[in-house]
């Protein structure tokens, strides 16, 4: 099944409903489809190959996604925050391609063989003008190429096929299930899997999409209030900043119905504060990977409320989980030998289902039987709630004992003197690795002794960090992922005082 | 008819359009409004009429499945005809209730 069919269905069934943009000047579903077809016809005349996209959020993004799909060509959004050298290297990898580039980013590009660069303004003009929409018959295959964030080296190109993405959409979203007037605010960038899935699920669900060109908490709150936003998805670092603005302005966003979050570990104090400040909002924690076409597990609104209002410890603990796997796929925890583990036993998260691509350019990572090893560590509780411990690469091995940084970070983050923290392993001659903590302190700053005692009282003593460092801030990429490797390199190069 | 996943079909007697989500385990005939469906690209002949026994309608966005053959289709455009497989009526699956996560 083809992603363009999702738009076709919505445009046939609800042609006059607003699909993209503001309440006053938005585009209807019918007009969105017309522009996607006109854009596809125009792109076909510009050059062959992948449709690359380098630019900020906006209605041109979904139109380009569907235009590429209509042509049967992969859509490859690029990270405009990369330094010019890295960006040009990625762009060269998309060849043969036509690259739609924001006008004010054109100057950053070098010429590359096989890459035709077109200005976003030219693409938008072509989509808006009544032109030919005579399209060649396309066989749907690769829908999207997404370059991973490359926190662990040269970015890999993850392949998502039309079959993966449409399977995800039709198995998780009710067709035109959105109520009239609902609107989703999208602030994750186009090159993030959540930016792509938001286009497809928004269109199929019939919910108007409002874009923030790029995220700032001020702009987010202003847009949410102005456009009476009902739904939004944020990454953890965004939520904390949004709550600060809401509190400062005394704004409660009465139209907001649902706020989902994902893309990284949500600190418990932040989500607890959000639940207290926005009691009318349904909170949803979604866990997924680029290679799984977005969400594979969901912690729903009632799970959030149970965690806050119930005395049941298991229910409270689940606020730290990512909820239950989607019913449309299978999920298992396995040990390093591949044996399936039972409840409460940590191992590697494996997933199987039609939405799972598990595929990179030139490299298929799926097992023969369709299972994908996520490289995320985690465990399931008795009720099937999934707890994610983080990347297996980040596990600290101290004297043969495996420790997940996330567990230690959660404990430290609950200390009143800790604003943010990262835990990682640094080389040690005796233990192989030892536990180090990099702390962003509040005023007054706690001492390493205080913090060590805090951890020792709550976890095994071997999990107590032996190396402490204090910093003004931790390095994150723009989608909220901690740059643990960078931190580790810095900590290893310049040992901090113990 | 080759009901492979992703293939598109339409009713011979009404506006309904269908996409195959899951192929049947063995060849079957998929009908809408009492008549076998035709490939999406083909024109309706206009000779056939909707059968009263198969006129309960099909709804856009609903998934219809036949447990016996394993066939599963998504209705991509609504129509007056209802769906059947080898003459037996097939029903719509319950709508999924998953909270929005994107």
């Amino acid at each position: 099944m083809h992603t363009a069919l999702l738009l076709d269905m919505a445009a046939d069934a609800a042609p006059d409903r607003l699909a993209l943009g503001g309440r006053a000047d938005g585009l209807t579903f019918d007009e969105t489809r017309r522009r996607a077809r006109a854009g596809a016809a125009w792109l076909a005349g510009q050059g062959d190959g992948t449709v690359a996209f380098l630019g900020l959020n906006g209605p041109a993004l979904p139109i380009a996604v569907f235009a590429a799909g209509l042509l049967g060509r992969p859509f490859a959004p690029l990270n405009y925050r990369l330094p010019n050298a890295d960006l040009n290297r990625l762009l060269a990898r998309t060849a043969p391609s036509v690259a739609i580039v924001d006008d004010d980013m054109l100057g950053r590009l070098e010429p590359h063989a096989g890459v035709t660069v077109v200005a976003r303004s030219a693409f938008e003009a072509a989509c808006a003008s009544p032109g030919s929409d005579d399209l060649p018959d396309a066989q749907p295959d690769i829908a999207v190429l997404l370059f991973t964030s490359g926190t662990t080296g040269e970015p890999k190109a993850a392949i998502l096929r039309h079959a993966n993405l449409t399977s995800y959409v039709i198995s998780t979203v009710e067709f035109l299930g959105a109520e009239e007037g609902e609107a989703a605010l999208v602030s994750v960038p186009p090159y993030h899997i959540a930016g792509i899935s938001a286009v497809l699920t928004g269109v199929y669900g019939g919910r108007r999409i409002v874009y923030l060109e790029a995220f700032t908490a001020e702009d987010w709150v202003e847009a949410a209030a102005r456009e009476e936003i009902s739904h939004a998805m944020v990454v953890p670092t965004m939520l904390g900043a949004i709550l600060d603005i809401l509190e400062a302005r005394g704004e409660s966003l009465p139209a907001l119905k649902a706020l989902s979050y994902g893309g990284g570990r949500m600190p418990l104090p932040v989500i607890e504060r959000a639940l207290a400040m926005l009691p009318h909002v349904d909170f949803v924690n979604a866990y997924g990977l680029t290679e799984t076409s977005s969400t594979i597990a969901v912690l729903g609104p009632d799970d959030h409320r149970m965690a806050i209002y119930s005395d049941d410890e298991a229910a409270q603990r689940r606020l730290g989980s990512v909820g239950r796997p989607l019913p449309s796929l299978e999920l298992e925890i396995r040990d390093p030998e591949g044996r399936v583990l039972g409840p409460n036993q940590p191992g590697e998260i494996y997933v199987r289902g039609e939405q799972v691509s598990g595929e990179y350019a030139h490299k298929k990572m799926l097992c023969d039987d369709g299972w994908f090893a996520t490289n995320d560590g985690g465990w399931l509780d008795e009720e099937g709630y999934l707890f994610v411990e983080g990347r297996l690469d980040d596990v600290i091995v101290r004297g043969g004992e495996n420790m997940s940084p996330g567990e230690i970070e959660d404990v430290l983050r609950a200390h009143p003197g800790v604003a943010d923290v990262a835990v990682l392993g640094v080389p040690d001659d005796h233990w192989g690795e030892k536990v180090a903590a990099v702390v962003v302190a509040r005023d007054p700053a706690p001492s390493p002794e205080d913090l060590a005692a805090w951890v020792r009282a709550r976890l095994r003593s071997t999990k107590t960090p032996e190396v402490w460092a204090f910093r003004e801030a931790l390095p994150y990429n723009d989608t909220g992922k901690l740059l643990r490797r960078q931190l580790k390199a810095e900590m290893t190069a310049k040992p901090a005082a113990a | 008819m080759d009901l492979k996943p992703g293939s598109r079909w339409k009713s011979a007697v009404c506006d309904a359009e269908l996409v195959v989500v899951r192929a049947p385990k063995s060849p079957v005939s998929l009908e809408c409004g009492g008549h076998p469906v035709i490939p999406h690209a083909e024109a309706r002949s206009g000779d056939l009429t909707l059968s009263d026994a198969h006129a309960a309608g099909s709804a856009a966005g609903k998934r219809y499945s036949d447990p016996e053959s394993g066939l599963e289709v998504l209705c991509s455009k609504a129509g007056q005809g209802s769906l059947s497989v080898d003459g037996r009526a097939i029903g719509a699956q319950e709508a999924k209730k998953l909270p929005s996560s994107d």
Side-chain angles (χ1 to χ4, degrees):
Chain A
M1 187 171 161
H2 198 297
T3 53
L5 182 58
L6 304 173
L7 175 58
D8 260 338
M9 288 175 65
D12 283 341
D16 300 326
R17 203 187 264 211
L18 282 181
L20 299 175
R23 278 186 296 176
D25 57 356
L27 302 178
T28 63
F29 277 101
D30 196 43
E31 177 62 12
T32 300
R33 170 167 61 180
R34 200 201 61 71
R35 289 190 186 208
R37 294 187 66 86
W42 184 80
L43 285 171
Q46 303 302 307
D48 293 330
T50 295
V51 175
F53 184 90
L54 177 68
L56 301 177
N57 271 331
L61 169 68
I63 289 170
V65 168
F66 288 115
L70 283 164
L71 293 174
R73 302 191 191 178
F75 180 77
L78 303 178
N79 182 350
Y80 50 78
R81 290 184 194 263
L82 289 173
N84 285 355
D86 296 350
L87 176 60
N88 277 285
R89 208 161 50 236
L90 274 196
L91 181 60
R93 282 172 63 186
T94 65
S97 64
V98 178
I100 302 168
V101 179
D102 274 17
D103 295 54
D104 61 2
M105 296 183 190
L106 288 166
R108 299 178 57 190
L109 303 181
E110 296 152 16
H112 300 285
V115 179
T116 306
V117 172
V118 297
R120 179 177 181 143
S121 58
F123 173 69
E124 287 176 331
C127 294
S129 61
S132 149
D133 70 346
D134 217 11
L135 298 175
D137 237 0
Q139 274 306 311
D141 184 19
I142 296 176
V144 175
L145 285 174
L146 274 182
F147 290 95
T148 55
S149 54
T151 50
T152 55
E154 190 69 15
K156 291 180 289 185
I159 288 175
L160 297 173
R161 297 182 186 272
H162 284 276
N164 302 132
L165 290 167
T166 55
S167 161
Y168 168 66
V169 173
I170 66 172
S171 63
T172 60
V173 181
E174 195 183 335
F175 177 59
L176 297 185
E179 287 170 34
E180 207 65 65
E182 285 187 355
L185 182 57
V186 176
S187 54
V188 286
Y191 50 85
H192 191 281
I193 177 61
I196 298 296
S197 57
V199 168
L200 303 177
T201 57
V203 162
Y204 192 70
R207 185 174 293 129
R208 177 168 61 103
I209 298 173
V210 178
Y211 280 108
L212 272 195
E213 280 198 340
F215 178 83
T216 69
E218 290 83 359
D219 290 348
W220 192 96
V221 169
E222 263 159 36
R226 182 184 68 241
E227 291 292 337
E228 295 183 8
I229 292 300
S230 59
H231 290 70
M233 187 268 172
V234 294
V235 301
T237 44
M238 294 175 179
L239 183 57
I242 288 167
L243 295 177
D244 288 342
I245 299 286
L246 291 177
E247 197 164 67
R249 299 192 181 173
E251 171 68 67
S252 66
L253 301 177
L256 190 64
K257 293 181 188 174
L259 196 56
S260 66
Y261 58 94
R265 204 179 181 80
M266 175 64 84
L268 272 182
V270 176
I271 186 62
E272 284 170 353
R273 183 175 166 221
L275 284 160
M277 282 176 64
L278 301 167
H280 61 290
V281 172
D282 282 352
F283 284 88
V284 176
N285 184 0
Y287 164 70
L289 296 90
T290 302
E291 300 89 330
T292 61
S293 307
S294 193
T295 306
I296 57 174
V298 168
L299 185 77
D302 289 345
D303 294 320
H304 281 80
R305 294 195 178 96
M306 281 294 284
I308 295 294
Y309 298 116
S310 141
D311 296 330
D312 177 20
E313 268 182 43
Q316 290 170 1
R317 195 176 57 169
R318 286 186 192 128
L319 196 53
S321 79
V322 297
R324 285 196 255 224
L326 301 183
S328 50
L329 49 76
E330 300 167 271
L331 188 146
E332 289 177 355
I333 307 295
R334 299 190 189 174
D335 72 8
E337 280 72 50
R339 285 181 296 248
V340 178
L341 298 171
N344 300 316
Q345 292 181 286
E348 182 170 5
I349 301 169
Y350 277 70
V351 64
R352 176 164 75 173
E354 288 169 9
Q355 72 182 74
V356 178
S357 90
E359 193 182 350
Y360 303 99
H362 315 302
K363 200 171 177 194
K364 188 112 180 154
M365 300 294 284
L366 288 188
C367 309
D368 290 339
D369 56 1
W371 285 94
F372 174 61
T374 62
N375 192 35
D376 271 347
W379 48 280
L380 293 159
D381 74 7
E382 290 85 353
E383 299 283 318
Y385 285 76
L386 177 65
F387 289 75
V388 179
E389 295 178 320
R391 304 304 281 171
L392 288 173
D393 304 340
D394 297 333
V395 166
I396 302 163
V397 185
R398 181 188 184 274
E401 187 188 355
N402 286 3
M403 292 178 273
S404 100
E407 182 189 18
I408 305 170
E409 287 167 2
D410 283 351
V411 166
L412 278 166
R413 226 177 245 119
H415 189 285
V418 174
D420 199 3
V421 61
V423 167
L424 40 108
V426 292
D428 180 76
D429 290 342
H430 184 62
W431 297 107
E433 275 189 309
K434 58 186 170 187
V435 182
V438 185
V439 175
V440 179
R442 294 189 203 280
D443 195 24
S447 70
E449 291 74 29
D450 289 346
L451 294 174
W454 176 271
V455 177
R456 208 174 295 116
R458 288 162 179 81
L459 296 172
R460 275 202 302 283
S461 65
T462 50
K463 294 186 175 176
T464 306
E466 295 165 82
V467 179
W468 297 88
F470 290 84
R471 290 197 170 205
E472 291 293 310
L474 298 179
Y476 288 96
N477 74 8
D478 61 303
T479 50
K481 279 205 172 59
L482 178 69
L483 300 174
R484 210 180 283 274
R485 195 151 292 234
Q486 179 186 324
L487 208 50
K488 191 165 177 162
E490 290 169 17
M491 290 292 290
T492 306
K494 188 168 70 71
Chain B
M1 56 185 73
D2 185 10
L3 296 166
K4 56 179 193 225
S7 62
R8 296 182 65 181
W9 304 84
K10 66 184 179 190
S11 169
V13 293
C14 69
D15 291 336
E17 296 184 2
L18 308 156
V19 192
V20 176
V21 174
R22 224 171 292 285
K25 293 189 283 274
S26 52
V28 292
S29 168
L30 172 64
E31 302 114 359
C32 179
H35 299 277
V37 296
I38 57 176
H40 186 257
E42 258 175 43
R44 294 185 178 96
S45 72
D47 301 342
L48 303 168
T49 52
L50 186 70
S51 147
D52 288 343
H54 299 279
S58 36
K62 287 272 185 235
R63 274 166 93 158
Y64 295 84
S65 58
D66 175 37
E68 206 167 314
S69 67
L71 174 69
E72 208 172 300
V73 298
L74 175 74
C75 173
S76 57
K77 194 171 187 177
Q80 285 174 279
S82 44
L83 303 179
S84 52
V85 167
D86 293 338
R88 60 179 180 272
I90 61 172
Q93 295 178 345
E94 284 297 308
K96 52 262 153 187
K97 279 280 176 240
L98 274 177
S100 163
S101 64
D102 299 300

